[in-house]
Amino acid sequence: MIVPISGINSRINFKSDDTEGKKLPYDKDTLLENNFANRTRIGFDKFTNALTLYPAKGLKGSKNANFYEFLTMGSVPYIVGSVMLMSVFNSANKHFAPLARSKAGSIGRKMALGVLFYGLLKSFTKSFVTKPVEWITGVDTEVPYAKVNYELPDNIYDTDITSIEYHKAYESKEFPRWDLFYKSEADGDVRNEYFDKIAKKIGFGEDLNDSDQEMKPVIKKIAAKTDTAKILSSYLWAAAGVGYAFQAPWDDYFNVATLKFWKFNKFKHSIKVFKDSAVKSAKDMWRGIDNAKGWWPKHAGKVMIGAAALSSIIGVVNAVTISKPSKQNADDVIDKDRKYVVN
């Protein structure tokens, strides 16, 4: 006799049994709060894995190595390349004559500062677009989630086969992780609470019959336009950061710069000079070169800063500009003066 599966008392479980009592951080794909603590933790976890775990898996030919790990490892050559770019303009200075060494050192240090400002502004200025869009529409295009993967065991004794990946819910514009935004009715929550809030915030009204179905196309458009704007504006801000690093007042800081915090007075003085140099450099970049010939040297700083700021503003305006679909009544579609025959 063939016994149906439902009649078997044993239960099939596809999860890995944690025999060593290791508590998993997540037991399913989980939407995370987009705050500084989580962003820092995710960044640290991805970077340490990119340095240690992911290269080891790739080099030994693990069947669990995947494209996510390959992309995550891209941060390592990015940082190594930045450090090498900084050093290549400064490592040979000691071989120059004193006057040439001084001039080369000034340019080299500004090149290094430009690399640093480029990376920082390229990362941080994305929020110039994403945050205003979130405040206006309620759509946080950067919201992260933890994805739980159950890997294939490398050997018969391998029990810890769970890995965690960190993605963004709107990473894919065609297939966002809508399932993570629904609330549990079993817990007494409103299932479409997230979509109801967005509909109310952007003026689609309240108590919609199917707010999720109405909001999903709108949210996808917002996410797509926001991503385009943040990428374009972040590169313009990064370029402005490089120009900012090449301003003359930074030489005042480089002459007294020290990281020896145990020499408190010198370190404190260097911090003060750093702040003064930062302010003076910003003013010089905006004011331009005095007595310069031609229009560009006088106004290049204004153009760079203005273009970056304008790209962020235009990007936000474009992302939050939402055209509501026209609603038609039955009277607009059916002509009562005509006869209709149903076969």
Side-chain angles (χ1 to χ4, degrees):
M1 181 178 70
I2 299 176
V3 181
I5 293 178
S6 59
I8 301 176
N9 292 327
S10 61
R11 186 176 60 157
I12 299 175
N13 187 2
F14 292 99
K15 287 188 178 181
S16 62
D17 293 327
D18 199 347
T19 56
E20 298 179 0
K22 179 183 176 182
K23 183 177 177 59
L24 299 176
Y26 309 101
D27 58 356
K28 61 179 181 179
D29 292 359
T30 305
L31 195 68
L32 305 176
E33 188 177 351
N34 186 14
N35 54 35
F36 178 77
N38 279 339
R39 290 194 299 270
T40 303
R41 180 174 58 83
I42 290 171
F44 179 78
D45 184 74
K46 293 175 71 172
F47 183 67
T48 53
N49 284 338
L51 283 175
T52 56
L53 179 62
Y54 297 160
K57 290 174 67 176
L59 289 172
K60 74 177 183 180
S62 172
K63 51 183 170 286
N64 292 311
N66 58 31
F67 193 56
Y68 166 83
E69 297 174 359
F70 171 76
L71 292 178
T72 303
M73 286 190 291
S75 61
V76 177
Y78 182 86
I79 294 175
V80 173
S82 297
V83 174
M84 292 185 66
L85 189 60
M86 292 178 182
S87 64
V88 74
F89 293 101
N90 295 280
S91 56
N93 291 352
K94 60 183 178 181
H95 302 293
F96 299 158
L99 181 60
R101 184 187 308 141
S102 175
K103 293 182 178 179
S106 176
I107 296 175
R109 288 189 290 267
K110 288 178 181 177
M111 288 289 293
L113 192 64
V115 172
L116 179 63
F117 284 168
Y118 178 91
L120 291 176
L121 287 175
K122 185 174 176 292
S123 298
F124 294 143
T125 55
K126 292 177 181 178
S127 62
F128 291 178
V129 174
T130 58
K131 284 300 179 183
V133 170
E134 181 186 356
W135 296 333
I136 296 170
T137 66
V139 180
D140 182 5
T141 59
E142 300 290 296
V143 62
Y145 76 94
K147 185 177 186 297
V148 181
N149 285 340
Y150 295 102
E151 301 179 337
L152 298 171
D154 291 323
N155 56 68
I156 60 174
Y157 303 105
D158 191 4
T159 58
D160 185 14
I161 58 174
T162 305
S163 68
I164 304 296
E165 297 179 2
Y166 294 102
H167 296 269
K168 294 177 182 178
Y170 295 111
E171 199 170 70
S172 169
K173 302 302 177 288
E174 290 300 322
F175 304 101
R177 287 298 306 269
W178 299 122
D179 57 303
L180 300 176
F181 292 100
Y182 287 106
K183 300 292 185 179
S184 174
E185 293 180 333
D187 297 332
D189 298 324
V190 179
R191 177 175 169 79
N192 287 352
E193 179 182 342
Y194 172 77
F195 301 99
D196 290 340
K197 288 181 178 179
I198 293 176
K200 180 180 178 181
K201 200 169 184 68
I202 62 179
F204 273 65
E206 301 181 49
D207 300 324
L208 301 179
N209 292 331
D210 297 298
S211 59
D212 56 339
Q213 299 304 316
E214 291 196 41
M215 288 298 103
K216 283 178 181 179
V218 176
I219 294 173
K220 287 168 68 173
K221 289 182 181 179
I222 293 173
K225 291 192 288 187
T226 301
D227 273 12
T228 302
K230 79 176 182 183
I231 292 171
L232 292 176
S233 67
S234 66
Y235 277 107
L236 289 173
W237 281 112
V242 175
Y244 176 54
F246 272 84
Q247 301 306 307
W250 285 115
D251 288 328
D252 297 336
Y253 168 68
F254 293 137
N255 291 332
V256 299
T258 179
L259 296 177
K260 298 178 180 179
F261 58 88
W262 54 90
K263 296 183 178 180
F264 182 72
N265 290 331
K266 289 185 176 181
F267 182 73
K268 180 180 178 181
H269 178 65
S270 70
I271 295 298
K272 181 180 181 301
V273 176
F274 175 83
K275 292 189 293 185
D276 293 340
S277 297
V279 173
K280 290 179 182 178
S281 294
K283 291 180 179 179
D284 281 5
M285 183 176 179
W286 182 260
R287 185 171 57 245
I289 301 174
D290 294 330
N291 302 321
K293 294 182 180 180
W295 180 88
W296 178 250
K298 185 69 176 177
H299 301 284
K302 296 184 182 70
V303 172
M304 294 181 70
I305 296 172
L310 194 62
S311 67
S312 296
I313 295 171
I314 293 175
V316 171
V317 172
N318 181 54
V320 302
T321 302
I322 304 164
S323 57
K324 299 180 183 179
S326 59
K327 295 183 178 180
Q328 293 181 325
N329 298 321
D331 295 338
D332 299 328
V333 179
I334 301 175
D335 187 354
K336 296 181 178 179
D337 296 332
R338 294 181 60 185
K339 295 181 179 180
Y340 295 88
V341 178
V342 179
N343 294 327

